[in-house]
Amino acid sequence: MSVSNIISNLNRLSLQATVRQAVLYRNISASSAVQFRITPSLLAEPLKKKKRLDPAVIRAREERRKKKIEKQIRRLEKNARQLKPIDECEVSLQILDERDKRVRHLPSVSPEVLDKRAKIEKSWCQYKQQQHLADVQMLDRVSFAEQKALDELRKESEELYQQAIQPDFYFIPFSCQGPVETLPIENYDVPDGDYVDVSKKWE
Amino acid sequence: MIKNALRILQTPSTSSVHFRNLSKAPSASPSKPEKWDLLTAICVERKPALTPPLTDLEKEYKQYLQEVEYERSLKSDHEMKLEAEKKVLESLKAGETIEDLDVNLKQTAQDFADACVEELAQFKPADRLTEADRRNDLKSLQRKLDKHLVLVVQQRIGKEKHFLLPQGLRQDGESLRQTAERVLKENCGSDIQARIYGNAPCGFYKYKYPKDVRGGGSGGAVGAKVFFYFARYLNGRLPEKDVDYKWLDRKELYKTLPAPYNRSVSEFLFDE
């Protein structure tokens, strides 16, 4: 319905524009007093009759939707009650009570040691900065090499180039297992028994 | 396949320089486009399993951080227990009698600490050097566990044999990446598995064939353009027969490869 309305409105607009011009030339008035009406053109076909659904089916559908939402609400409510405790963020009361007793009374650090520490900090900063610089330069070099290879490939064949620039989604999301300090010993007999994960499950 | 391609180059030639710096090579007339053979080489790299050893500065900094952390920390339960027991012992020595008979029965904190130290001393972590390191077995994947190792395979180029990254000619209808996968299979057997990183080549190298070979059997090509693909070694072994190969770390690799080729390879490899 709304579409046909819009169309008729638009039609009228465009017609009126021409009519107004005609008015100037032929002296025809289109004011309401004259009762001059322009019929909107009807471009739409009659709407299809809506299919009647079985009321039982509708009711069942409604019921199912309701149940689904109720289930979700129930699940949310259940979880709202159960917050996952963050053990590592909660200091036990006993430790808080004994805080004064637990302070280490160490002799204050000598100025030489402080000097040495400051030097270590500085050289560490330089070391890390150089490392970062080297990394950035290396990445630059590697991406330059890749770009050069692609440019050369494009000179040879556009088709091969297009195949080469397709993204490879295998590494997304990326994960890797880093190197370790010492390898696990093969066939190692664990003296303390088996490892059992007893941490609580919070859902 | 690759052997055929390379055998073409084995026609008698007086010059032995096959790796020629291209910038010096004379360029052909611009009207007629030169034909180049497209080759794909695959750089299979094994990831290090071990972290590299700490440098002196890193060790020093680690030590410093540990000291500061100790100074800022509070005493642990174990330390509290240890101190309490010390006090009891001192008072016992002084002759006071406390009704603490069960002190001797249970394990004291000191005993516990001693036992821990002893257990730690008994434990020997796995050696960072392996059997392959001691024998300097270049074919073993167990060597130099803290280094990136790159696979090089001996191949005939012209008259000479070189240790190069496995390479081969592209066939019609293949993308370069498919060529890389095929090249690996043909050169190193079907057991070895590697994951190629991306569809794009990561490096490029080109060289001209010697003049007397050029335009002959190789379909009129003046030289070869080699596109490198980077791949991560996953698992599997190379066949013992037919192939002469080495797993080399960066230093060894740069020494082994021919100089101009090496320049292209070292450009796309990550430093250690």
Side-chain angles (χ1 to χ4, degrees):
Chain A
M1 271 313 267
S2 61
V3 173
S4 65
N5 262 340
I6 287 167
I7 288 171
S8 74
N9 278 338
L10 289 175
N11 266 339
R12 192 180 294 160
L13 277 178
S14 63
L15 270 177
Q16 275 176 345
T18 53
V19 164
R20 221 168 269 150
Q21 274 195 341
V23 167
L24 284 179
Y25 286 117
R26 297 186 192 168
N27 211 5
I28 299 171
S29 168
S31 63
S32 54
V34 187
Q35 294 291 311
F36 185 90
R37 287 258 175 108
I38 299 159
T39 328
S41 54
L42 189 66
L43 293 174
E45 62 176 320
L47 288 168
K48 269 182 193 163
K49 205 178 171 190
K50 212 178 171 190
K51 224 196 250 172
R52 262 281 166 101
L53 269 175
D54 191 12
V57 174
I58 296 175
R59 215 177 305 133
R61 237 180 242 174
E62 201 86 333
E63 203 98 313
R64 217 178 301 148
R65 222 176 57 205
K66 221 167 151 188
K67 252 186 201 165
K68 209 171 156 190
I69 294 173
E70 266 173 14
K71 204 174 167 191
Q72 280 177 347
I73 291 173
R74 229 180 301 133
R75 201 187 302 148
L76 279 175
E77 273 178 353
K78 200 172 141 199
N79 284 352
R81 264 179 275 128
Q82 193 181 40
L83 287 176
K84 187 191 168 197
I86 311 172
D87 289 336
E88 54 270 30
C89 289
E90 284 168 9
V91 184
S92 80
L93 286 174
Q94 192 203 351
I95 291 178
L96 284 179
D97 288 346
E98 291 178 352
R99 200 187 181 288
D100 296 338
K101 281 190 212 162
R102 284 176 185 259
V103 175
R104 290 180 200 283
H105 298 288
L106 295 168
S108 58
V109 187
S110 66
E112 291 91 56
V113 175
L114 282 178
D115 248 20
K116 198 183 144 207
R117 286 181 179 181
K119 265 183 203 164
I120 293 178
E121 281 279 12
K122 274 180 194 167
S123 47
W124 179 254
C125 273
Q126 281 173 0
Y127 173 69
K128 275 292 162 192
Q129 193 223 357
Q130 279 160 10
Q131 222 175 27
H132 173 69
L133 194 68
D135 278 353
V136 171
Q137 282 170 348
M138 180 178 70
L139 289 176
D140 217 28
R141 189 196 73 207
V142 170
S143 63
F144 176 77
E146 188 188 22
Q147 194 53 51
K148 189 183 158 200
L150 282 173
D151 290 346
E152 289 287 341
L153 183 61
R154 195 166 204 176
K155 277 186 211 162
E156 281 301 315
S157 151
E158 179 70 25
E159 189 196 344
L160 286 179
Y161 172 76
Q162 289 301 335
Q163 282 170 349
I165 57 170
Q166 294 310 311
D168 181 1
F169 291 107
Y170 179 81
F171 288 103
I172 304 170
F174 182 75
S175 70
C176 76
Q177 284 190 325
V180 292
E181 198 162 327
T182 59
L183 283 182
I185 302 170
E186 267 178 56
N187 305 324
Y188 181 65
D189 193 18
V190 188
D192 294 337
D194 295 326
Y195 170 77
V196 184
D197 191 359
V198 293
S199 50
K200 283 179 199 161
K201 290 270 182 295
W202 303 94
E203 308 224 338
Chain B
M1 164 65 222
I2 182 183
K3 276 173 191 156
N4 287 338
L6 295 171
R7 209 167 289 137
I8 295 162
L9 302 182
Q10 288 171 30
T11 45
S13 68
T14 44
S15 85
S16 60
V17 187
H18 297 284
F19 291 94
R20 186 172 302 180
N21 201 340
L22 243 217
S23 54
K24 288 171 196 159
S27 57
S29 55
S31 57
K32 201 173 149 199
E34 290 174 327
K35 191 173 176 298
W36 291 82
D37 282 337
L38 293 189
L39 268 72
T40 299
I42 181 164
C43 172
V44 184
E45 192 185 67
R46 189 215 64 187
K47 226 170 63 163
L50 295 181
T51 50
L54 296 182
T55 62
D56 286 345
L57 181 63
E58 281 168 347
K59 272 182 209 161
E60 214 174 344
Y61 194 68
K62 189 177 167 191
Q63 172 84 21
Y64 155 60
L65 286 185
Q66 277 172 351
E67 279 171 21
V68 171
E69 193 174 318
Y70 176 75
E71 283 162 20
R72 289 184 188 165
S73 66
L74 297 175
K75 285 176 194 165
S76 68
D77 281 349
H78 175 72
E79 283 171 294
M80 299 289 281
K81 200 174 159 194
L82 207 62
E83 271 177 19
E85 278 170 14
K86 229 180 220 169
K87 247 181 220 168
V88 171
L89 273 181
E90 271 166 18
S91 54
L92 273 181
K93 266 185 197 165
E96 291 174 42
T97 45
I98 315 162
E99 36 190 287
D100 246 355
L101 286 171
D102 54 337
V103 167
N104 298 330
L105 295 174
K106 69 183 176 191
Q107 185 192 38
T108 62
Q110 187 59 49
D111 288 344
F112 178 70
D114 290 347
C116 289
V117 169
E118 197 181 326
E119 195 180 325
L120 180 66
Q122 268 181 6
F123 178 75
K124 287 273 173 290
D127 203 351
R128 287 174 68 95
L129 286 178
T130 59
E131 189 59 34
D133 281 323
R134 281 180 211 107
R135 280 188 287 124
N136 199 21
D137 182 3
L138 294 175
K139 294 193 171 189
S140 169
L141 268 165
Q142 292 301 312
R143 70 189 296 260
K144 301 213 173 179
L145 287 175
D146 57 345
K147 293 271 169 61
H148 292 83
L149 296 186
V150 172
L151 175 70
V152 290
V153 177
Q154 195 172 46
Q155 293 174 77
R156 273 192 97 90
I157 303 288
K159 274 185 169 180
E160 292 165 47
K161 281 186 173 178
H162 293 279
F163 273 105
L164 298 174
L165 305 177
Q167 63 177 31
L169 261 177
R170 189 186 85 90
Q171 288 172 351
D172 285 340
E174 267 183 335
S175 73
L176 282 183
R177 181 175 171 157
Q178 285 160 351
T179 311
E181 274 157 11
R182 181 176 54 82
V183 162
L184 182 69
K185 226 170 228 177
E186 282 175 5
N187 278 279
C188 310
S190 49
D191 185 32
I192 189 166
Q193 283 180 4
R195 180 81 213 171
I196 294 179
Y197 276 28
N199 289 317
C202 58
F204 172 74
Y205 173 69
K206 67 177 174 181
Y207 63 97
K208 287 210 166 182
Y209 298 142
K211 275 227 171 78
D212 42 355
V213 189
R214 206 180 295 172
S218 53
V222 288
K225 291 190 174 183
V226 187
F227 293 93
F228 296 105
Y229 270 82
F230 182 84
R232 183 72 73 203
Y233 167 82
L234 296 177
N235 52 43
R237 296 170 63 86
L238 281 95
E240 289 305 318
K241 289 177 199 166
D242 308 332
V243 196
D244 197 9
Y245 63 91
K246 288 179 191 172
W247 287 99
L248 301 176
D249 74 357
R250 292 282 188 271
K251 266 187 199 162
E252 295 162 338
L253 180 73
Y254 297 156
K255 254 188 246 167
T256 309
L257 296 178
Y261 189 81
N262 181 25
R263 231 169 289 142
S264 293
V265 171
S266 59
E267 209 168 54
F268 70 79
L269 281 179
F270 276 32
D271 300 331
E272 284 193 317

